[in-house]
Every structure is written in structure tokens, then in C-alpha cells.
Amino acid sequence: MKLWDRIHRGMEAGFDASISAVHTLTEKAGEGIELTRSRREKSRYETQLTKLLAELGNTVYEKLSEGRLNEIAEQLEIKDKLTEIAEQEAQMVKIDKMIGKELGIKEIKE
């Protein structure tokens, strides 16, 4: 499973939970309908923006990683971040394998 797929799945769950919480809180607080709608709409835009930024970041990360574009990474001053992401991705793969071994599964696909 690609790094983006893992992140995307976690983000979706988090976004769904946060939107649900906003809906519940605003309704329980007894706020006016217009104020509630405005807050929900703002929350929806914030979620969409966060998703778009994450997708953009993932695309840039994949292009830089696949092409070994070290010069561009240095110009953007993100080489250290790319290394950190690669290390953490390797740790996630290692943990997935350990979990799969514990559960008796050859390869974790989720």
C-alpha cells in the first residue's frame, strides 16, 4: 500500500469524525440555523483544502522521490523532510509486516 493510501484513509476517518463532531456540537449548542450552516460550510471548506494540500504534497513527494530530484529538493529546502518521510514510511512498512506476522497474514493490504 502506498504511503498516500495510508495517509488518505486516516485523513478520511479523521475528517468524517471532525465533521460529525462539528454537526453535533453546533446542534446541541442551540445556535441559529444560519450560524450553524456557516460553521458547517467553513468546516467543509477547511476539510477540502486540507485534502487538496495533502494531495499536492503527496504528488510532489512522489515525483521528487521517484526521480531522485535532489537538486530540486535542495532548492526547495525540503531534502531533510523527504528523508524524514522516507524513514517514517519504512517504519510503517516494518510495523505492517510485524502486525501481519502476528495475525498470520502474509501481506497487510489495508
Side-chain angles (χ1 to χ4, degrees):
M1 177 182 296
K2 287 188 174 184
L3 174 60
W4 172 245
D5 293 331
R6 290 183 186 143
I7 293 170
H8 187 260
R9 189 174 41 163
M11 285 175 46
E12 288 294 326
F15 291 146
D16 290 345
S18 67
I19 289 174
S20 176
V22 167
H23 291 281
T24 302
L25 289 173
T26 54
E27 288 173 1
K28 286 185 178 180
E31 296 175 339
I33 293 172
E34 286 303 314
L35 183 57
T36 300
R37 276 193 200 129
S38 295
R39 287 188 175 175
R40 286 180 180 176
E41 185 176 4
K42 181 183 177 204
S43 177
R44 186 175 53 82
Y45 280 117
E46 287 172 342
T47 300
Q48 288 175 345
L49 180 60
T50 301
K51 287 179 182 179
L52 289 171
L53 288 169
E55 289 174 10
L56 172 65
N58 184 66
T59 301
V60 170
Y61 170 72
E62 285 182 356
K63 295 295 182 188
L64 289 172
S65 296
E66 289 171 2
R68 305 282 187 227
L69 304 173
N70 291 328
E71 185 177 314
I72 293 173
E74 287 176 11
Q75 289 174 357
L76 295 173
E77 299 177 0
I78 59 170
K79 192 170 183 175
D80 291 341
K81 288 288 180 199
L82 291 173
T83 302
E84 186 178 349
I85 290 169
E87 289 170 354
Q88 290 186 13
E89 184 176 13
Q91 284 299 105
M92 286 173 44
V93 169
K94 183 179 174 182
I95 291 168
D96 277 347
K97 287 181 181 180
M98 189 252 332
I99 290 170
K101 187 176 181 180
E102 289 291 320
L103 296 174
I105 302 171
K106 289 186 179 183
E107 183 177 324
I108 301 283
K109 293 184 181 180
E110 295 181 90

